[in-house]
């Protein structure tokens, strides 16, 4: 993207409405703009980050054997009357009427709809187990939307739903999703801690929250340092192997981890290597048995011909919240420091003297080599402003082209995370950025 002709409106001043670093930086770096309370438009750079997070989430769901679907945002109230949640959900649910005065709602979650889809088609135990997921916008009319995309009213969620014949099967699905989540967060470049949680309006008797560590997070967390060294990749655990899932589960559940409200001072004393920090909830998973299948009449013919209500779970990742949470975990005074795995662009090319033939030629050559997958700062701004914006936007690499270097066939390559700078040829810079 050429910055001179992009909707990438960076701000020098700190917006007054933003209380936390990620919200300030998302506005200042031109990633999003608020269009109504708790509702945001994603501008080109912000959307690129959102899409990259989505892609990693999707790959890990697919690897766990989950099938992608896309359910609508608008749902019929009748479905929710069948589960009993239409009245129970309260003012957080955005309710609408169509021209025929039929009650509709903007989905805050999709347990009812997926149960309905399954009951229309799945008839036999032979068709189970199945896990389905989608990545779709949700609406919750939060009392206090705040912190930008971290607590929005409209937000993007990955929600998955598992269907098993019995509790033992449901437990396997639950562990698979938990491993898929730990892997997803590891690839996103953040430390996640799974914690036993309350089930709230989703229901059920088993639930974990996934908290990622960030110094400015909302809740205080206490955990065993053992979590920091576990490798969740497929080299260590195969997601399709039950013994591996068992070994993974044992590791997750034998270490201490709790948020403030559940912290147990007595148990804490026995933790060998104590760690404390601030955390943000980026995922939440639930096992709720037959709560929805029974209420909505989802049943399959069992092995012996007797009909069984499938055991279900649901599994959520806050995809849009993750954009803010990643910034909370990775920033400094000057701006965002994107992990390579989610950066909107791997590099920004800074032309320090637009109009200088050698600088322009070198920058065009570099930009062409990236095939459009780099940001080219071709604005007629001063060098200082370009440096400041590059640090603010947080691309992992900055390739600086000035008249002296260009004449000698050299660029300056800066790594945003460390501030380290080297002078090198265009070829060497490309090789470093490509890793
Ligand atoms: C699980 C999937 C559920 O809704 N039903 C389907 C279950 N869980 S949850 O905990 O309520 O939400 C899952 C994740 O969504 C994110 N989230 C939000 N993100 C931004 N703004 C909000 N207002 C918001 N509410 C929930 C969180 O990351 C949460 O863990």
């Amino acid at each position: 993207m050429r910055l001179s002709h992009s909707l990438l409106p960076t701000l020098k001043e700190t917006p007054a409405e933003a209380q936390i670093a990620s919200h300030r930086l998302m506005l200042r770096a031109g990633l999003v703009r608020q269009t109504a309370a708790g509702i945001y438009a994603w501008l080109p750079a912000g959307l690129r980050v959102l899409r990259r997070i989505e892609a990693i989430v999707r790959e890990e769901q697919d690897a766990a054997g989950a099938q992608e679907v896309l359910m609508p945002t608008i749902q019929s109230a009748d479905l929710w009357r069948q589960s009993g949640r239409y009245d129970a959900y309260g003012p957080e649910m955005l309710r609408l009427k169509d021209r025929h005065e039929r009650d509709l709602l903007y989905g805050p979650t999709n347990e009812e709809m997926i149960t309905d889809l399954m009951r229309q088609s799945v008839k036999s135990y032979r068709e189970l187990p199945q896990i389905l997921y989608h990545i779709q916008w949700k609406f919750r009319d939060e009392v206090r939307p705040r912190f930008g995309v971290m607590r929005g009213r409209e937000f993007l969620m990955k929600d998955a739903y598992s269907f098993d014949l019995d509790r033992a099967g449901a437990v396997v699905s639950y562990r698979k999703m938990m491993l898929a989540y730990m892997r997803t967060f590891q690839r996103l470049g953040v430390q996640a801690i799974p914690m036993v949680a309350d089930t709230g309006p989703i229901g059920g008797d088993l639930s974990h929250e996934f908290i990622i560590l960030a110094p400015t997070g909302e809740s205080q967390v206490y955990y065993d340092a053992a979590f920091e060294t576990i490798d969740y990749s497929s080299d260590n655990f195969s997601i399709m192997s039950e013994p591996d899932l068992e070994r993974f589960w044992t590791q997750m559940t034998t270490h201490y981890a709790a948020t403030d409200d559940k912290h147990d001072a007595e148990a804490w004393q026995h933790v060998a290597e104590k760690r404390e920090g601030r955390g943000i909830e980026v995922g939440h998973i639930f096992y709720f048995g037959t709560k929805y299948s029974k209420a909505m009449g989802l049943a399959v013919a069992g092995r012996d011909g007797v009909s069984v209500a499938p055991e279900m779970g649901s599994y959520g990742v806050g995809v849009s919240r993750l954009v803010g949470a990643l910034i909370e975990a990775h920033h400094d005074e000057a701006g965002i420091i994107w992990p390579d795995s989610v950066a909107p662009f791997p590099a920004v090319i800074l032309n320090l003297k637009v109009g200088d033939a050698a600088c322009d030629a070198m920058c065009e050559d570099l930009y062409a080599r990236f095939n459009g997958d780099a940001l080219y700062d071709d604005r007629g701004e001063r060098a200082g402003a370009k440096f400041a914006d590059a640090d603010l936007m947080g691309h992992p690499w900055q390739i600086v082209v000035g008249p002296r270097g260009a004449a000698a066939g050299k660029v300056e390559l800066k790594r945003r995370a460390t501030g380290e700078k080297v002078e090198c040829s265009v070829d060497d810079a490309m090789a470093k950025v490509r890793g």
Side-chain angles (χ1 to χ4, degrees), residues 258-286:
T259 44
D260 242 354
D261 45 334
K262 294 230 165 97
H263 187 49
D264 174 350
E266 164 60 24
W268 184 235
Q269 283 192 352
H270 306 293
V271 174
E273 254 195 286
K274 300 182 180 61
R275 290 274 195 278
E276 278 182 52
R278 307 293 296 178
I280 303 165
E281 182 207 308
V282 291
H284 202 158
I285 62 177
F286 304 81

Side-chain angles (χ1 to χ4, degrees), residues 88-322:
Y89 219 92
E92 275 208 358
M93 182 184 272
L94 182 65
R95 296 155 205 259
L96 337 152
K97 274 194 198 295
D98 69 9
R99 64 169 73 202
H100 306 293
E101 292 290 304
R102 278 188 285 250
D103 293 320
L104 300 172
L105 56 100
Y106 194 121
T109 177
N110 287 65
E111 279 81 6
E112 283 77 359
M113 191 177 276
I114 195 78
T115 305
D116 178 45
L117 291 168
M118 291 296 278
R119 94 183 146 180
Q120 290 177 37
S121 311
V122 176
K123 303 293 176 206
S124 158
Y125 72 92
R126 288 190 209 88
E127 297 165 72
L128 298 185
Q130 291 197 34
I131 304 178
L132 297 123
Y133 76 97
H134 73 161
I135 302 176
Q136 178 62 293
W137 294 91
K138 305 286 186 283
F139 196 95
R140 292 182 186 173
D141 204 350
E142 302 274 353
V143 192
R144 268 189 75 204
R146 57 185 183 147
F147 303 152
V149 301
M150 295 263 258
R151 183 171 302 281
R153 291 199 296 167
E154 191 186 44
F155 60 97
L156 189 60
M157 193 200 287
K158 184 287 301 178
D159 36 326
Y161 304 89
S162 66
F163 298 84
D164 282 270
L165 265 189
D166 51 26
R167 191 183 163 101
V171 163
V172 172
S173 296
Y174 189 91
R175 293 176 183 179
K176 269 190 190 164
M177 280 295 121
M178 190 185 236
L179 177 53
Y181 276 31
M182 296 309 284
R183 243 175 225 177
T184 302
F185 299 130
Q186 180 166 301
R187 285 183 61 189
L188 292 174
V190 284
Q191 175 74 55
I193 316 282
M195 299 190 187
V196 177
D198 295 324
T199 54
I202 307 291
D205 57 10
L206 175 62
S207 174
H208 282 84
E209 282 177 353
F210 297 80
I211 308 279
I212 66 169
L213 297 173
T216 50
E218 267 189 279
S219 40
Q220 180 72 14
V221 297
Y222 303 85
Y223 65 98
D224 190 325
F227 279 109
E228 291 173 355
T229 47
I230 300 171
D231 172 16
Y232 299 102
S233 73
S234 50
D235 299 340
N236 193 19
F237 300 111
S238 158
I239 205 158
M240 295 305 177
S241 143
E242 286 190 29
D244 278 21
L245 288 174
E246 183 83 47
R247 185 164 54 83
F248 162 71
W249 180 255
T250 308
Q251 292 202 23
M252 292 300 97
T253 50
T254 49
H255 302 311
Y256 184 88
T259 44
D260 242 354
D261 45 334
K262 294 230 165 97
H263 187 49
D264 174 350
E266 164 60 24
W268 184 235
Q269 283 192 352
H270 306 293
V271 174
E273 254 195 286
K274 300 182 180 61
R275 290 274 195 278
E276 278 182 52
R278 307 293 296 178
I280 303 165
E281 182 207 308
V282 291
H284 202 158
I285 62 177
F286 304 81
Y287 163 67
F288 40 71
T290 55
K291 173 176 168 176
Y292 297 91
S293 48
K294 281 209 172 125
M296 297 183 65
L298 163 65
V300 298
R303 249 179 269 282
D304 48 9
V306 179
S307 96
V308 228
E311 297 272 330
M312 292 174 58
S314 73
Y315 312 89
V317 171
V319 177
S320 49
R321 173 177 289 185
L322 266 166

